[in-house]
């Protein structure tokens, strides 16, 4: 750039009449060199601007101010999943076991003193009082401590109730696994995002 | 505002916000705190602000200015010229003696800028260092376009006169 041209631009710069593009041309002139002898006196001005622009935030902790909040959300989501799973378990328990009891033919009326049953817990409690039929595969692994003299067997209703509970717990477990996998994915993403700005700064 | 958008639009201007905060507070630590707080605030309030905010950069600059001024006024910090982060110079024709003299002059220019009245200092910073348009400066500082031009003119004039007389 010729001296006259840059001189004219500078005059307008001091008056505050230059465009951003013209100001960039002035800065480029003073950073690229060589600088005309007559303009050396104003060179420090544009070097100062250039140096100030190069100042950067270096604290790496600034890179992730919202990470704790992500984890808060993860915790909240996990809790919600647990609650939902618990609610589902209770609901399923009521829906399946109660009709089951009502439909069961009374084969041994001497054991069924209660005409109606309201909850899964009562079903299990009642089933434990009855003389069970050989139906459950897990009967031998769970001996009854409070009734050592009786045969440790579980009837079909109890087995079914237990199967329901097992299914519900399996669902809770699967939900927890899913939540954990999501959290791992999130953590991996956060780590990756942490590395991106570092590379740029380096 | 999602995490990805935050990282695309707000996080990349953190250095700009930091320089602006540094210009106001004159303290590296205070400026770092300001940026941290501004980024957190943007992240937390962005969902409800997303309809109102047209220019995220200007909005972040406004938040940075307000937070920096709060800190400066509440703690009555003594301003000092930020001299750290001296970049390498590209002038390859000067002798070492001239270079030292040049460095002194550059440091003095920085000091002059830091000693300008607040509004002139901030307008000049946003224009000459961050290269914002007059409109963006007006929005960032919540002042009129005329005030931007007047303050920029006065700031540059002051620096030039001091450079001539020194």
């Amino acid at each position: 750039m010729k001296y006259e041209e840059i001189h004219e631009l500078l005059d307008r710069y001091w008056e505050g009449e230059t465009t951003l593009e013209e100001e960039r041309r002035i800065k480029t002139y003073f950073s690229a060199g060589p600088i005309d002898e007559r303009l050396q006196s104003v060179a420090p001005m544009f070097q100062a601007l250039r140096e100030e622009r190069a100042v950067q935030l270096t604290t790496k902790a600034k890179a992730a101010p919202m990470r704790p909040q992500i984890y808060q959300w993860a915790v909240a989501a996990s809790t919600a999943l647990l609650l939902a799973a618990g609610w589902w378990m209770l609901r399923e328990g009521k829906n399946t076991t109660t009709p089951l009891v009502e439909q069961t033919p009374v084969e041994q009326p001497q054991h069924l003193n209660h005409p109606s049953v309201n909850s899964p817990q009562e079903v299990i409690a009642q089933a434990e009082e009855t003389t069970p039929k050989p139906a459950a595969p897990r009967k031998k692994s769970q001996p009854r401590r409070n009734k050592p003299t009786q045969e440790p067997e579980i009837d079909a209703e109890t087995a079914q109730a237990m199967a329901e509970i097992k299914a519900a717990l399996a669902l809770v477990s699967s939900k927890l696994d899913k939540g954990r996998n999501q959290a791992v994915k999130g953590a991996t993403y956060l780590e990756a995002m942490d590395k991106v700005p570092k590379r740029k700064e380096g | 505002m999602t995490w990805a958008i935050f990282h695309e639009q707000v996080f990349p201007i953190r250095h700009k916000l930091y320089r602006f905060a540094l210009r106001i507070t004159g303290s590296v630590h205070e400026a770092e705190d300001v940026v941290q707080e501004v980024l957190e605030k943007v992240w937390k309030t962005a969902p409800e602000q997303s309809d109102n905010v047209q220019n995220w950069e200007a909005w972040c600059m406004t938040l940075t200015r307000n937070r920096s001024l709060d800190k400066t006024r509440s703690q009555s910090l003594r301003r000092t010229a930020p001299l750290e982060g001296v970049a390498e110079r590209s002038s390859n024709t000067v002798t070492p003696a001239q270079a030292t003299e040049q460095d002194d002059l550059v440091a003095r220019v920085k000091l002059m800028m830091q000693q300008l009245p607040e509004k002139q200092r901030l307008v000049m910073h946003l224009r000459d260092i961050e290269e914002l348009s007059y409109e963006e400066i007006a929005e960032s500082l919540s002042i009129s376009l005329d005030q931007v031009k007047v303050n920029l003119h006065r700031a540059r004039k002051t620096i030039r006169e001091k450079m001539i007389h020194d």
Side-chain angles (χ1 to χ4, degrees):
Chain A
M1 196 185 293
K2 289 180 182 176
Y3 167 76
E4 288 75 17
E5 191 182 351
I6 191 76
H7 186 265
E8 188 268 333
L9 276 180
L10 273 174
D11 278 348
R12 290 176 45 225
Y13 170 81
W14 295 119
E15 292 301 316
E17 295 171 353
T18 39
T19 65
L20 270 177
E21 183 53 41
E22 289 169 333
E23 287 162 19
R24 287 194 191 109
R25 286 179 67 197
I26 296 172
K27 288 172 185 169
T28 304
Y29 172 82
F30 282 102
S31 66
I35 300 167
D36 191 287
E37 194 65 30
R38 291 164 284 185
L39 297 170
Q40 285 290 350
S41 62
V42 291
M45 166 78 185
F46 295 98
Q47 188 179 329
L49 295 180
R50 198 163 60 242
E51 289 182 7
E52 293 283 28
R53 191 176 167 80
V55 173
Q56 290 203 335
L57 180 67
T58 51
T59 312
K60 66 177 180 181
K62 309 298 173 194
M66 62 295 304
R67 174 178 293 192
Q69 201 171 18
I70 290 291
Y71 284 121
Q72 282 171 16
W73 277 108
V75 169
S78 305
T79 311
L81 272 177
L82 267 177
L83 287 171
W87 172 80
W88 181 87
M89 194 171 74
L90 285 172
R91 185 173 151 272
E92 286 297 300
K94 275 186 180 173
N95 285 352
T96 55
T97 55
T98 307
L100 181 70
V101 171
E102 287 167 354
Q103 289 163 11
T104 304
V106 185
E107 295 173 352
Q108 296 174 312
Q110 68 271 23
H111 295 301
L112 292 175
N113 297 325
H114 308 291
S116 68
V117 181
N118 295 323
S119 72
Q121 287 80 6
E122 287 178 38
V123 173
I124 296 169
Q126 183 183 330
E128 284 175 349
E129 290 169 7
T130 62
T131 306
K133 287 176 177 278
R138 294 176 59 192
K139 57 188 177 184
K140 286 177 184 173
S141 63
Q142 294 183 341
R144 300 288 163 83
R145 289 177 195 167
N146 52 350
K147 296 181 180 178
T149 53
Q150 283 188 346
E151 188 85 6
E153 287 185 351
I154 304 169
D155 70 359
E157 287 176 18
T158 313
Q160 180 117 10
M162 286 178 70
E164 296 286 350
I165 291 170
K166 274 176 70 179
L169 286 173
L171 179 82
V172 173
S173 173
S174 73
K175 295 286 182 193
L176 283 175
D177 273 352
K178 201 174 175 184
R180 193 189 60 185
N181 289 340
Q182 290 293 329
V184 169
K185 276 184 195 170
T188 310
Y189 177 70
L190 283 171
E191 281 173 16
M193 290 310 290
D194 240 6
K195 286 172 187 169
V196 173
K198 275 184 199 167
R199 207 178 301 140
K200 281 180 184 171
E201 284 168 9
Chain B
M1 172 181 278
T2 64
W3 173 265
I5 294 173
F6 180 84
H7 264 260
E8 284 166 12
Q9 295 194 16
V10 178
F11 194 61
I13 61 168
R14 65 193 184 284
H15 299 302
K16 200 178 273 194
L17 301 179
Y18 170 70
R19 288 191 290 267
F20 193 38
L22 191 58
R23 176 69 55 196
I24 299 170
T25 63
S27 157
V28 170
H29 298 300
E30 292 292 335
E32 285 175 354
D33 286 349
V34 167
V35 174
Q36 174 91 8
E37 289 164 17
V38 166
L39 290 181
E40 280 182 6
K41 184 167 184 180
V42 171
W43 178 255
K44 285 176 184 168
T45 60
E48 58 213 55
Q49 292 288 344
S50 56
D51 290 338
N52 305 326
V53 178
Q54 302 294 323
N55 185 336
W56 288 102
E57 184 174 329
W59 188 52
C60 289
M61 283 293 196
T62 305
L63 290 176
T64 302
R65 183 200 63 154
N66 293 343
R67 195 72 200 95
S68 299
L69 288 176
D70 284 349
K71 275 190 183 291
T72 307
R73 283 164 186 163
S74 65
Q75 299 184 12
S76 302
L77 288 173
R78 192 168 62 89
R79 292 200 193 97
T80 53
L83 298 177
E84 72 280 354
V86 176
E88 60 182 50
R89 299 181 304 111
S90 60
S91 49
N92 48 10
T93 55
V94 292
T95 65
Q98 284 173 323
T100 308
E101 188 186 353
Q102 187 90 347
D103 285 343
D104 286 346
L105 289 170
V106 171
R108 270 160 58 194
V109 170
K110 290 179 182 175
L111 191 60
M112 289 174 201
M113 286 172 61
Q114 194 64 13
Q115 288 172 338
L116 288 168
E118 183 181 295
K119 207 170 278 183
Q120 292 181 30
R121 183 160 39 102
L122 300 188
V123 169
M124 187 173 184
H125 174 91
L126 293 180
R127 179 69 176 193
D128 285 341
I129 294 172
E130 305 303 348
E131 300 185 347
L132 266 59
S133 69
Y134 290 149
E135 289 78 12
E136 288 171 323
I137 297 170
E139 192 178 344
S140 299
L141 300 180
S142 306
I143 58 177
S144 69
L145 272 178
D146 283 342
Q147 278 186 299
V148 172
K149 291 173 185 171
V150 166
N151 279 284
L152 182 64
H153 179 235
R154 284 181 186 161
R156 286 175 178 171
K157 193 177 171 187
T158 304
I159 300 285
R160 188 190 189 189
E161 286 174 355
K162 281 191 177 181
M163 286 178 75
I164 291 170
H165 293 305
D166 278 1

